Amino acid sequence: MINVFNRKEVYSTYHMEEQTRVKEILESNDIECFLDNKRLESPLGGQHTISGNASPLGAQSSVNGDNCCMEYKVFVKKTDYSLAKRLIEK
C-alpha cells in the first residue's frame, strides 16, 4: 500500500493523456501507483492576458474556460522509484 511516508513523485504533467500513459506503463509492469490531481487557479484571476497554451503559472497546459488548469502527479513506492523512472523515460 502506498502512503505519504513511503511514496515518491515519479512524474508530473499538465496533460491528462500523459498521466494515463504513465499509469498504464506502471500498471503493465506491476508497479503500484498513486495519482494526485490538483486544480490550479490562475494568479491573474479573471483576466485573459495570455493567449495560446501558455499557463499563467509558466508551464505549458490546457487552460480551461474558467481560467484554471489541472496538475497531474504520479507517485510510486520509494523502492519502485528507479525502475518506474526508467520505464517512463523509454
Side-chain angles (χ1 to χ4, degrees):
M1 183 168 110
I2 296 178
N3 61 52
V4 72
F5 302 110
N6 71 353
R7 72 181 187 188
K8 187 169 182 179
E9 181 182 322
V10 71
Y11 196 78
S12 178
T13 185
Y14 293 96
H15 302 282
M16 188 168 66
E17 298 82 12
E18 276 297 301
Q19 177 199 27
T20 302
R21 180 188 71 83
V22 168
K23 178 181 175 254
E24 289 173 353
I25 289 171
L26 296 174
E27 287 179 346
S28 68
N29 287 278
D30 296 321
I31 297 175
E32 186 181 5
C33 63
F34 173 79
L35 307 175
D36 185 32
N37 305 327
K38 183 188 292 184
R39 180 183 165 124
L40 302 173
E41 297 292 331
S42 169
L44 299 177
Q47 299 173 349
H48 295 280
T49 57
I50 296 177
S51 61
N53 272 11
S55 165
L57 303 173
Q60 291 297 317
S61 67
S62 55
V63 178
N64 299 332
D66 57 352
N67 210 27
C68 71
C69 60
M70 293 293 289
E71 178 183 33
Y72 303 95
K73 292 184 179 184
V74 181
F75 295 88
V76 296
K77 288 182 183 176
K78 289 179 183 178
T79 56
D80 294 332
Y81 178 81
S82 296
L83 175 59
K85 195 73 169 167
R86 279 197 311 269
L87 292 169
I88 291 168
E89 292 175 352
K90 280 187 177 179

PDB file of all heavy atoms in Angstrom, residues 15-54:
ATOM      1  N   HIS A  15      -1.032  17.414 -18.560  1.00  0.00           N
ATOM      2  CA  HIS A  15      -1.832  16.777 -19.605  1.00  0.00           C
ATOM      3  C   HIS A  15      -2.353  15.430 -19.121  1.00  0.00           C
ATOM      4  O   HIS A  15      -1.570  14.543 -18.774  1.00  0.00           O
ATOM      5  CB  HIS A  15      -0.996  16.588 -20.867  1.00  0.00           C
ATOM      6  CG  HIS A  15      -0.451  17.876 -21.402  1.00  0.00           C
ATOM      7  ND1 HIS A  15      -1.214  18.752 -22.121  1.00  0.00           N
ATOM      8  CD2 HIS A  15       0.771  18.442 -21.267  1.00  0.00           C
ATOM      9  CE1 HIS A  15      -0.482  19.803 -22.430  1.00  0.00           C
ATOM     10  NE2 HIS A  15       0.724  19.650 -21.923  1.00  0.00           N
ATOM     11  N   MET A  16      -3.661  15.272 -19.122  1.00  0.00           N
ATOM     12  CA  MET A  16      -4.282  14.052 -18.639  1.00  0.00           C
ATOM     13  C   MET A  16      -3.839  12.838 -19.461  1.00  0.00           C
ATOM     14  O   MET A  16      -3.668  11.748 -18.919  1.00  0.00           O
ATOM     15  CB  MET A  16      -5.807  14.173 -18.672  1.00  0.00           C
ATOM     16  CG  MET A  16      -6.498  13.007 -18.009  1.00  0.00           C
ATOM     17  SD  MET A  16      -8.245  13.243 -17.718  1.00  0.00           S
ATOM     18  CE  MET A  16      -8.878  13.301 -19.367  1.00  0.00           C
ATOM     19  N   GLU A  17      -3.617  13.022 -20.756  1.00  0.00           N
ATOM     20  CA  GLU A  17      -3.196  11.919 -21.611  1.00  0.00           C
ATOM     21  C   GLU A  17      -1.836  11.373 -21.172  1.00  0.00           C
ATOM     22  O   GLU A  17      -1.602  10.167 -21.196  1.00  0.00           O
ATOM     23  CB  GLU A  17      -3.132  12.354 -23.080  1.00  0.00           C
ATOM     24  CG  GLU A  17      -4.455  12.785 -23.655  1.00  0.00           C
ATOM     25  CD  GLU A  17      -4.839  14.227 -23.314  1.00  0.00           C
ATOM     26  OE1 GLU A  17      -3.980  14.993 -22.814  1.00  0.00           O
ATOM     27  OE2 GLU A  17      -6.007  14.579 -23.528  1.00  0.00           O
ATOM     28  N   GLU A  18      -0.935  12.252 -20.772  1.00  0.00           N
ATOM     29  CA  GLU A  18       0.386  11.836 -20.296  1.00  0.00           C
ATOM     30  C   GLU A  18       0.273  11.069 -18.984  1.00  0.00           C
ATOM     31  O   GLU A  18       0.968  10.085 -18.770  1.00  0.00           O
ATOM     32  CB  GLU A  18       1.303  13.047 -20.118  1.00  0.00           C
ATOM     33  CG  GLU A  18       1.986  13.483 -21.381  1.00  0.00           C
ATOM     34  CD  GLU A  18       2.915  12.401 -21.923  1.00  0.00           C
ATOM     35  OE1 GLU A  18       3.854  11.973 -21.223  1.00  0.00           O
ATOM     36  OE2 GLU A  18       2.688  11.970 -23.068  1.00  0.00           O
ATOM     37  N   GLN A  19      -0.580  11.544 -18.100  1.00  0.00           N
ATOM     38  CA  GLN A  19      -0.793  10.841 -16.840  1.00  0.00           C
ATOM     39  C   GLN A  19      -1.307   9.426 -17.109  1.00  0.00           C
ATOM     40  O   GLN A  19      -0.843   8.462 -16.503  1.00  0.00           O
ATOM     41  CB  GLN A  19      -1.781  11.584 -15.947  1.00  0.00           C
ATOM     42  CG  GLN A  19      -2.070  10.847 -14.656  1.00  0.00           C
ATOM     43  CD  GLN A  19      -3.343  11.300 -13.977  1.00  0.00           C
ATOM     44  OE1 GLN A  19      -4.271  11.771 -14.614  1.00  0.00           O
ATOM     45  NE2 GLN A  19      -3.385  11.164 -12.676  1.00  0.00           N
ATOM     46  N   THR A  20      -2.240   9.293 -18.024  1.00  0.00           N
ATOM     47  CA  THR A  20      -2.802   7.992 -18.373  1.00  0.00           C
ATOM     48  C   THR A  20      -1.735   7.085 -18.971  1.00  0.00           C
ATOM     49  O   THR A  20      -1.649   5.902 -18.627  1.00  0.00           O
ATOM     50  CB  THR A  20      -3.977   8.166 -19.355  1.00  0.00           C
ATOM     51  OG1 THR A  20      -4.957   9.012 -18.755  1.00  0.00           O
ATOM     52  CG2 THR A  20      -4.588   6.835 -19.727  1.00  0.00           C
ATOM     53  N   ARG A  21      -0.893   7.635 -19.849  1.00  0.00           N
ATOM     54  CA  ARG A  21       0.186   6.861 -20.473  1.00  0.00           C
ATOM     55  C   ARG A  21       1.130   6.313 -19.400  1.00  0.00           C
ATOM     56  O   ARG A  21       1.469   5.128 -19.399  1.00  0.00           O
ATOM     57  CB  ARG A  21       0.968   7.734 -21.459  1.00  0.00           C
ATOM     58  CG  ARG A  21       2.110   7.014 -22.166  1.00  0.00           C
ATOM     59  CD  ARG A  21       2.954   7.981 -22.977  1.00  0.00           C
ATOM     60  NE  ARG A  21       3.751   8.853 -22.149  1.00  0.00           N
ATOM     61  CZ  ARG A  21       4.941   8.529 -21.614  1.00  0.00           C
ATOM     62  NH1 ARG A  21       5.445   7.328 -21.812  1.00  0.00           N
ATOM     63  NH2 ARG A  21       5.609   9.406 -20.882  1.00  0.00           N
ATOM     64  N   VAL A  22       1.529   7.166 -18.462  1.00  0.00           N
ATOM     65  CA  VAL A  22       2.455   6.762 -17.397  1.00  0.00           C
ATOM     66  C   VAL A  22       1.806   5.710 -16.497  1.00  0.00           C
ATOM     67  O   VAL A  22       2.426   4.703 -16.154  1.00  0.00           O
ATOM     68  CB  VAL A  22       2.913   7.997 -16.589  1.00  0.00           C
ATOM     69  CG1 VAL A  22       3.627   7.586 -15.315  1.00  0.00           C
ATOM     70  CG2 VAL A  22       3.794   8.888 -17.449  1.00  0.00           C
ATOM     71  N   LYS A  23       0.560   5.926 -16.143  1.00  0.00           N
ATOM     72  CA  LYS A  23      -0.163   4.968 -15.291  1.00  0.00           C
ATOM     73  C   LYS A  23      -0.226   3.593 -15.962  1.00  0.00           C
ATOM     74  O   LYS A  23      -0.008   2.574 -15.311  1.00  0.00           O
ATOM     75  CB  LYS A  23      -1.564   5.497 -15.014  1.00  0.00           C
ATOM     76  CG  LYS A  23      -2.428   4.577 -14.181  1.00  0.00           C
ATOM     77  CD  LYS A  23      -3.803   5.199 -13.982  1.00  0.00           C
ATOM     78  CE  LYS A  23      -4.722   4.252 -13.265  1.00  0.00           C
ATOM     79  NZ  LYS A  23      -5.719   3.640 -14.103  1.00  0.00           N
ATOM     80  N   GLU A  24      -0.509   3.558 -17.252  1.00  0.00           N
ATOM     81  CA  GLU A  24      -0.597   2.288 -17.971  1.00  0.00           C
ATOM     82  C   GLU A  24       0.750   1.579 -18.042  1.00  0.00           C
ATOM     83  O   GLU A  24       0.830   0.359 -17.918  1.00  0.00           O
ATOM     84  CB  GLU A  24      -1.172   2.515 -19.368  1.00  0.00           C
ATOM     85  CG  GLU A  24      -2.646   2.852 -19.336  1.00  0.00           C
ATOM     86  CD  GLU A  24      -3.212   3.245 -20.682  1.00  0.00           C
ATOM     87  OE1 GLU A  24      -2.432   3.394 -21.662  1.00  0.00           O
ATOM     88  OE2 GLU A  24      -4.441   3.430 -20.765  1.00  0.00           O
ATOM     89  N   ILE A  25       1.836   2.342 -18.221  1.00  0.00           N
ATOM     90  CA  ILE A  25       3.180   1.756 -18.232  1.00  0.00           C
ATOM     91  C   ILE A  25       3.476   1.104 -16.889  1.00  0.00           C
ATOM     92  O   ILE A  25       3.958  -0.027 -16.818  1.00  0.00           O
ATOM     93  CB  ILE A  25       4.245   2.826 -18.562  1.00  0.00           C
ATOM     94  CG1 ILE A  25       4.149   3.241 -20.022  1.00  0.00           C
ATOM     95  CG2 ILE A  25       5.647   2.313 -18.237  1.00  0.00           C
ATOM     96  CD1 ILE A  25       5.009   4.447 -20.374  1.00  0.00           C
ATOM     97  N   LEU A  26       3.191   1.833 -15.826  1.00  0.00           N
ATOM     98  CA  LEU A  26       3.470   1.313 -14.486  1.00  0.00           C
ATOM     99  C   LEU A  26       2.627   0.080 -14.175  1.00  0.00           C
ATOM    100  O   LEU A  26       3.137  -0.926 -13.681  1.00  0.00           O
ATOM    101  CB  LEU A  26       3.252   2.405 -13.441  1.00  0.00           C
ATOM    102  CG  LEU A  26       4.190   3.612 -13.541  1.00  0.00           C
ATOM    103  CD1 LEU A  26       3.775   4.686 -12.552  1.00  0.00           C
ATOM    104  CD2 LEU A  26       5.631   3.201 -13.346  1.00  0.00           C
ATOM    105  N   GLU A  27       1.349   0.150 -14.466  1.00  0.00           N
ATOM    106  CA  GLU A  27       0.461  -0.985 -14.184  1.00  0.00           C
ATOM    107  C   GLU A  27       0.832  -2.214 -15.002  1.00  0.00           C
ATOM    108  O   GLU A  27       0.749  -3.331 -14.505  1.00  0.00           O
ATOM    109  CB  GLU A  27      -0.992  -0.589 -14.431  1.00  0.00           C
ATOM    110  CG  GLU A  27      -1.538   0.332 -13.366  1.00  0.00           C
ATOM    111  CD  GLU A  27      -2.974   0.767 -13.614  1.00  0.00           C
ATOM    112  OE1 GLU A  27      -3.481   0.567 -14.742  1.00  0.00           O
ATOM    113  OE2 GLU A  27      -3.578   1.299 -12.673  1.00  0.00           O
ATOM    114  N   SER A  28       1.246  -2.024 -16.246  1.00  0.00           N
ATOM    115  CA  SER A  28       1.625  -3.165 -17.080  1.00  0.00           C
ATOM    116  C   SER A  28       2.910  -3.826 -16.589  1.00  0.00           C
ATOM    117  O   SER A  28       3.213  -4.961 -16.954  1.00  0.00           O
ATOM    118  CB  SER A  28       1.763  -2.746 -18.543  1.00  0.00           C
ATOM    119  OG  SER A  28       2.876  -1.896 -18.713  1.00  0.00           O
ATOM    120  N   ASN A  29       3.674  -3.118 -15.750  1.00  0.00           N
ATOM    121  CA  ASN A  29       4.896  -3.664 -15.166  1.00  0.00           C
ATOM    122  C   ASN A  29       4.722  -3.981 -13.681  1.00  0.00           C
ATOM    123  O   ASN A  29       5.703  -4.099 -12.944  1.00  0.00           O
ATOM    124  CB  ASN A  29       6.054  -2.693 -15.374  1.00  0.00           C
ATOM    125  CG  ASN A  29       6.522  -2.678 -16.806  1.00  0.00           C
ATOM    126  OD1 ASN A  29       7.281  -3.530 -17.219  1.00  0.00           O
ATOM    127  ND2 ASN A  29       6.047  -1.713 -17.582  1.00  0.00           N
ATOM    128  N   ASP A  30       3.483  -4.097 -13.248  1.00  0.00           N
ATOM    129  CA  ASP A  30       3.133  -4.454 -11.863  1.00  0.00           C
ATOM    130  C   ASP A  30       3.737  -3.516 -10.821  1.00  0.00           C
ATOM    131  O   ASP A  30       4.174  -3.943  -9.754  1.00  0.00           O
ATOM    132  CB  ASP A  30       3.532  -5.898 -11.554  1.00  0.00           C
ATOM    133  CG  ASP A  30       2.756  -6.897 -12.399  1.00  0.00           C
ATOM    134  OD1 ASP A  30       1.547  -6.656 -12.620  1.00  0.00           O
ATOM    135  OD2 ASP A  30       3.346  -7.899 -12.841  1.00  0.00           O
ATOM    136  N   ILE A  31       3.748  -2.224 -11.141  1.00  0.00           N
ATOM    137  CA  ILE A  31       4.210  -1.214 -10.196  1.00  0.00           C
ATOM    138  C   ILE A  31       2.994  -0.440  -9.714  1.00  0.00           C
ATOM    139  O   ILE A  31       2.280   0.180 -10.514  1.00  0.00           O
ATOM    140  CB  ILE A  31       5.239  -0.260 -10.838  1.00  0.00           C
ATOM    141  CG1 ILE A  31       6.481  -1.043 -11.253  1.00  0.00           C
ATOM    142  CG2 ILE A  31       5.600   0.864  -9.872  1.00  0.00           C
ATOM    143  CD1 ILE A  31       7.507  -0.223 -11.994  1.00  0.00           C
ATOM    144  N   GLU A  32       2.760  -0.512  -8.421  1.00  0.00           N
ATOM    145  CA  GLU A  32       1.625   0.189  -7.823  1.00  0.00           C
ATOM    146  C   GLU A  32       1.875   1.696  -7.884  1.00  0.00           C
ATOM    147  O   GLU A  32       2.982   2.167  -7.631  1.00  0.00           O
ATOM    148  CB  GLU A  32       1.459  -0.250  -6.370  1.00  0.00           C
ATOM    149  CG  GLU A  32       0.239   0.304  -5.689  1.00  0.00           C
ATOM    150  CD  GLU A  32       0.131  -0.155  -4.243  1.00  0.00           C
ATOM    151  OE1 GLU A  32       1.032  -0.829  -3.734  1.00  0.00           O
ATOM    152  OE2 GLU A  32      -0.887   0.187  -3.629  1.00  0.00           O
ATOM    153  N   CYS A  33       0.842   2.454  -8.229  1.00  0.00           N
ATOM    154  CA  CYS A  33       1.000   3.909  -8.296  1.00  0.00           C
ATOM    155  C   CYS A  33      -0.194   4.604  -7.640  1.00  0.00           C
ATOM    156  O   CYS A  33      -1.265   4.032  -7.493  1.00  0.00           O
ATOM    157  CB  CYS A  33       1.184   4.381  -9.729  1.00  0.00           C
ATOM    158  SG  CYS A  33      -0.199   4.081 -10.823  1.00  0.00           S
ATOM    159  N   PHE A  34       0.044   5.829  -7.244  1.00  0.00           N
ATOM    160  CA  PHE A  34      -0.974   6.684  -6.639  1.00  0.00           C
ATOM    161  C   PHE A  34      -1.039   7.949  -7.465  1.00  0.00           C
ATOM    162  O   PHE A  34      -0.005   8.554  -7.781  1.00  0.00           O
ATOM    163  CB  PHE A  34      -0.588   7.007  -5.186  1.00  0.00           C
ATOM    164  CG  PHE A  34      -1.490   8.025  -4.531  1.00  0.00           C
ATOM    165  CD1 PHE A  34      -2.731   7.661  -4.041  1.00  0.00           C
ATOM    166  CD2 PHE A  34      -1.096   9.350  -4.427  1.00  0.00           C
ATOM    167  CE1 PHE A  34      -3.559   8.588  -3.451  1.00  0.00           C
ATOM    168  CE2 PHE A  34      -1.924  10.287  -3.836  1.00  0.00           C
ATOM    169  CZ  PHE A  34      -3.159   9.912  -3.344  1.00  0.00           C
ATOM    170  N   LEU A  35      -2.234   8.354  -7.851  1.00  0.00           N
ATOM    171  CA  LEU A  35      -2.422   9.543  -8.682  1.00  0.00           C
ATOM    172  C   LEU A  35      -2.977  10.675  -7.848  1.00  0.00           C
ATOM    173  O   LEU A  35      -3.876  10.479  -7.038  1.00  0.00           O
ATOM    174  CB  LEU A  35      -3.381   9.241  -9.830  1.00  0.00           C
ATOM    175  CG  LEU A  35      -3.034   8.022 -10.685  1.00  0.00           C
ATOM    176  CD1 LEU A  35      -4.133   7.772 -11.700  1.00  0.00           C
ATOM    177  CD2 LEU A  35      -1.697   8.201 -11.358  1.00  0.00           C
ATOM    178  N   ASP A  36      -2.437  11.865  -8.060  1.00  0.00           N
ATOM    179  CA  ASP A  36      -2.902  13.051  -7.354  1.00  0.00           C
ATOM    180  C   ASP A  36      -3.170  14.141  -8.382  1.00  0.00           C
ATOM    181  O   ASP A  36      -2.278  14.486  -9.161  1.00  0.00           O
ATOM    182  CB  ASP A  36      -1.855  13.515  -6.336  1.00  0.00           C
ATOM    183  CG  ASP A  36      -2.339  14.678  -5.486  1.00  0.00           C
ATOM    184  OD1 ASP A  36      -3.554  14.754  -5.208  1.00  0.00           O
ATOM    185  OD2 ASP A  36      -1.492  15.503  -5.102  1.00  0.00           O
ATOM    186  N   ASN A  37      -4.371  14.643  -8.398  1.00  0.00           N
ATOM    187  CA  ASN A  37      -4.759  15.698  -9.330  1.00  0.00           C
ATOM    188  C   ASN A  37      -5.065  16.964  -8.550  1.00  0.00           C
ATOM    189  O   ASN A  37      -5.759  16.912  -7.546  1.00  0.00           O
ATOM    190  CB  ASN A  37      -6.007  15.291 -10.123  1.00  0.00           C
ATOM    191  CG  ASN A  37      -5.822  13.971 -10.819  1.00  0.00           C
ATOM    192  OD1 ASN A  37      -4.725  13.624 -11.240  1.00  0.00           O
ATOM    193  ND2 ASN A  37      -6.894  13.220 -10.939  1.00  0.00           N
ATOM    194  N   LYS A  38      -4.541  18.060  -9.035  1.00  0.00           N
ATOM    195  CA  LYS A  38      -4.763  19.317  -8.336  1.00  0.00           C
ATOM    196  C   LYS A  38      -5.188  20.388  -9.349  1.00  0.00           C
ATOM    197  O   LYS A  38      -4.550  20.577 -10.371  1.00  0.00           O
ATOM    198  CB  LYS A  38      -3.490  19.780  -7.640  1.00  0.00           C
ATOM    199  CG  LYS A  38      -3.674  21.057  -6.840  1.00  0.00           C
ATOM    200  CD  LYS A  38      -2.369  21.604  -6.309  1.00  0.00           C
ATOM    201  CE  LYS A  38      -1.779  20.708  -5.263  1.00  0.00           C
ATOM    202  NZ  LYS A  38      -0.552  21.276  -4.677  1.00  0.00           N
ATOM    203  N   ARG A  39      -6.264  21.063  -9.022  1.00  0.00           N
ATOM    204  CA  ARG A  39      -6.747  22.164  -9.845  1.00  0.00           C
ATOM    205  C   ARG A  39      -5.977  23.418  -9.451  1.00  0.00           C
ATOM    206  O   ARG A  39      -5.958  23.809  -8.284  1.00  0.00           O
ATOM    207  CB  ARG A  39      -8.244  22.356  -9.596  1.00  0.00           C
ATOM    208  CG  ARG A  39      -8.869  23.448 -10.386  1.00  0.00           C
ATOM    209  CD  ARG A  39     -10.329  23.558  -9.964  1.00  0.00           C
ATOM    210  NE  ARG A  39     -10.879  24.793 -10.435  1.00  0.00           N
ATOM    211  CZ  ARG A  39     -11.949  24.873 -11.203  1.00  0.00           C
ATOM    212  NH1 ARG A  39     -12.585  23.795 -11.536  1.00  0.00           N
ATOM    213  NH2 ARG A  39     -12.383  26.035 -11.600  1.00  0.00           N
ATOM    214  N   LEU A  40      -5.344  24.039 -10.423  1.00  0.00           N
ATOM    215  CA  LEU A  40      -4.546  25.236 -10.178  1.00  0.00           C
ATOM    216  C   LEU A  40      -5.278  26.452 -10.721  1.00  0.00           C
ATOM    217  O   LEU A  40      -5.593  26.519 -11.901  1.00  0.00           O
ATOM    218  CB  LEU A  40      -3.176  25.121 -10.850  1.00  0.00           C
ATOM    219  CG  LEU A  40      -2.340  23.920 -10.427  1.00  0.00           C
ATOM    220  CD1 LEU A  40      -1.092  23.836 -11.278  1.00  0.00           C
ATOM    221  CD2 LEU A  40      -1.997  24.000  -8.962  1.00  0.00           C
ATOM    222  N   GLU A  41      -5.532  27.393  -9.855  1.00  0.00           N
ATOM    223  CA  GLU A  41      -6.203  28.619 -10.261  1.00  0.00           C
ATOM    224  C   GLU A  41      -5.177  29.604 -10.809  1.00  0.00           C
ATOM    225  O   GLU A  41      -4.044  29.660 -10.352  1.00  0.00           O
ATOM    226  CB  GLU A  41      -6.923  29.254  -9.069  1.00  0.00           C
ATOM    227  CG  GLU A  41      -8.024  28.401  -8.491  1.00  0.00           C
ATOM    228  CD  GLU A  41      -9.211  28.231  -9.416  1.00  0.00           C
ATOM    229  OE1 GLU A  41      -9.483  29.126 -10.230  1.00  0.00           O
ATOM    230  OE2 GLU A  41      -9.864  27.180  -9.316  1.00  0.00           O
ATOM    231  N   SER A  42      -5.586  30.381 -11.750  1.00  0.00           N
ATOM    232  CA  SER A  42      -4.717  31.390 -12.333  1.00  0.00           C
ATOM    233  C   SER A  42      -4.489  32.528 -11.343  1.00  0.00           C
ATOM    234  O   SER A  42      -5.432  33.040 -10.754  1.00  0.00           O
ATOM    235  CB  SER A  42      -5.346  31.959 -13.604  1.00  0.00           C
ATOM    236  OG  SER A  42      -4.642  33.102 -14.016  1.00  0.00           O
ATOM    237  N   PRO A  43      -3.239  32.973 -11.172  1.00  0.00           N
ATOM    238  CA  PRO A  43      -2.991  34.120 -10.305  1.00  0.00           C
ATOM    239  C   PRO A  43      -3.508  35.421 -10.914  1.00  0.00           C
ATOM    240  O   PRO A  43      -3.592  36.430 -10.238  1.00  0.00           O
ATOM    241  CB  PRO A  43      -1.468  34.140 -10.153  1.00  0.00           C
ATOM    242  CG  PRO A  43      -0.949  33.381 -11.308  1.00  0.00           C
ATOM    243  CD  PRO A  43      -2.015  32.392 -11.692  1.00  0.00           C
ATOM    244  N   LEU A  44      -3.907  35.373 -12.200  1.00  0.00           N
ATOM    245  CA  LEU A  44      -4.429  36.558 -12.866  1.00  0.00           C
ATOM    246  C   LEU A  44      -5.928  36.726 -12.672  1.00  0.00           C
ATOM    247  O   LEU A  44      -6.513  37.672 -13.170  1.00  0.00           O
ATOM    248  CB  LEU A  44      -4.119  36.509 -14.368  1.00  0.00           C
ATOM    249  CG  LEU A  44      -2.638  36.469 -14.733  1.00  0.00           C
ATOM    250  CD1 LEU A  44      -2.481  36.348 -16.232  1.00  0.00           C
ATOM    251  CD2 LEU A  44      -1.923  37.687 -14.210  1.00  0.00           C
ATOM    252  N   GLY A  45      -6.536  35.791 -11.972  1.00  0.00           N
ATOM    253  CA  GLY A  45      -7.974  35.879 -11.745  1.00  0.00           C
ATOM    254  C   GLY A  45      -8.749  35.763 -13.035  1.00  0.00           C
ATOM    255  O   GLY A  45      -8.519  34.863 -13.813  1.00  0.00           O
ATOM    256  N   GLY A  46      -9.643  36.673 -13.299  1.00  0.00           N
ATOM    257  CA  GLY A  46     -10.482  36.627 -14.483  1.00  0.00           C
ATOM    258  C   GLY A  46      -9.864  37.249 -15.710  1.00  0.00           C
ATOM    259  O   GLY A  46     -10.468  37.281 -16.761  1.00  0.00           O
ATOM    260  N   GLN A  47      -8.663  37.760 -15.613  1.00  0.00           N
ATOM    261  CA  GLN A  47      -8.028  38.406 -16.757  1.00  0.00           C
ATOM    262  C   GLN A  47      -7.550  37.357 -17.744  1.00  0.00           C
ATOM    263  O   GLN A  47      -7.017  36.323 -17.378  1.00  0.00           O
ATOM    264  CB  GLN A  47      -6.834  39.249 -16.302  1.00  0.00           C
ATOM    265  CG  GLN A  47      -7.211  40.361 -15.361  1.00  0.00           C
ATOM    266  CD  GLN A  47      -5.978  41.064 -14.814  1.00  0.00           C
ATOM    267  OE1 GLN A  47      -4.862  40.604 -14.979  1.00  0.00           O
ATOM    268  NE2 GLN A  47      -6.203  42.182 -14.171  1.00  0.00           N
ATOM    269  N   HIS A  48      -7.721  37.638 -19.025  1.00  0.00           N
ATOM    270  CA  HIS A  48      -7.268  36.740 -20.076  1.00  0.00           C
ATOM    271  C   HIS A  48      -6.200  37.459 -20.882  1.00  0.00           C
ATOM    272  O   HIS A  48      -6.413  37.853 -22.016  1.00  0.00           O
ATOM    273  CB  HIS A  48      -8.430  36.319 -20.978  1.00  0.00           C
ATOM    274  CG  HIS A  48      -9.458  35.500 -20.264  1.00  0.00           C
ATOM    275  ND1 HIS A  48      -9.296  34.161 -20.026  1.00  0.00           N
ATOM    276  CD2 HIS A  48     -10.646  35.841 -19.711  1.00  0.00           C
ATOM    277  CE1 HIS A  48     -10.348  33.694 -19.380  1.00  0.00           C
ATOM    278  NE2 HIS A  48     -11.176  34.698 -19.161  1.00  0.00           N
ATOM    279  N   THR A  49      -5.029  37.633 -20.306  1.00  0.00           N
ATOM    280  CA  THR A  49      -3.965  38.368 -20.995  1.00  0.00           C
ATOM    281  C   THR A  49      -2.966  37.445 -21.668  1.00  0.00           C
ATOM    282  O   THR A  49      -2.114  37.900 -22.397  1.00  0.00           O
ATOM    283  CB  THR A  49      -3.193  39.257 -19.994  1.00  0.00           C
ATOM    284  OG1 THR A  49      -2.677  38.430 -18.968  1.00  0.00           O
ATOM    285  CG2 THR A  49      -4.099  40.323 -19.396  1.00  0.00           C
ATOM    286  N   ILE A  50      -3.074  36.140 -21.437  1.00  0.00           N
ATOM    287  CA  ILE A  50      -2.145  35.191 -22.035  1.00  0.00           C
ATOM    288  C   ILE A  50      -2.914  34.366 -23.049  1.00  0.00           C
ATOM    289  O   ILE A  50      -3.953  33.806 -22.753  1.00  0.00           O
ATOM    290  CB  ILE A  50      -1.521  34.280 -20.967  1.00  0.00           C
ATOM    291  CG1 ILE A  50      -0.695  35.137 -20.014  1.00  0.00           C
ATOM    292  CG2 ILE A  50      -0.672  33.198 -21.605  1.00  0.00           C
ATOM    293  CD1 ILE A  50      -0.083  34.369 -18.879  1.00  0.00           C
ATOM    294  N   SER A  51      -2.382  34.273 -24.261  1.00  0.00           N
ATOM    295  CA  SER A  51      -3.078  33.535 -25.310  1.00  0.00           C
ATOM    296  C   SER A  51      -2.371  32.214 -25.565  1.00  0.00           C
ATOM    297  O   SER A  51      -1.247  31.983 -25.131  1.00  0.00           O
ATOM    298  CB  SER A  51      -3.114  34.362 -26.589  1.00  0.00           C
ATOM    299  OG  SER A  51      -1.790  34.609 -27.023  1.00  0.00           O
ATOM    300  N   GLY A  52      -3.037  31.346 -26.311  1.00  0.00           N
ATOM    301  CA  GLY A  52      -2.453  30.062 -26.653  1.00  0.00           C
ATOM    302  C   GLY A  52      -2.507  29.082 -25.500  1.00  0.00           C
ATOM    303  O   GLY A  52      -3.386  29.140 -24.659  1.00  0.00           O
ATOM    304  N   ASN A  53      -1.500  28.199 -25.448  1.00  0.00           N
ATOM    305  CA  ASN A  53      -1.460  27.149 -24.442  1.00  0.00           C
ATOM    306  C   ASN A  53      -0.706  27.538 -23.188  1.00  0.00           C
ATOM    307  O   ASN A  53      -0.684  26.785 -22.243  1.00  0.00           O
ATOM    308  CB  ASN A  53      -0.773  25.900 -25.006  1.00  0.00           C
ATOM    309  CG  ASN A  53      -1.735  24.993 -25.698  1.00  0.00           C
ATOM    310  OD1 ASN A  53      -2.865  25.372 -25.942  1.00  0.00           O
ATOM    311  ND2 ASN A  53      -1.283  23.809 -26.018  1.00  0.00           N
ATOM    312  N   ALA A  54      -0.056  28.663 -23.179  1.00  0.00           N
ATOM    313  CA  ALA A  54       0.789  29.010 -22.030  1.00  0.00           C
ATOM    314  C   ALA A  54      -0.058  29.294 -20.806  1.00  0.00           C
ATOM    315  O   ALA A  54      -0.997  30.066 -20.848  1.00  0.00           O
ATOM    316  CB  ALA A  54       1.651  30.213 -22.358  1.00  0.00           C
TER     317      ALA A  54
END
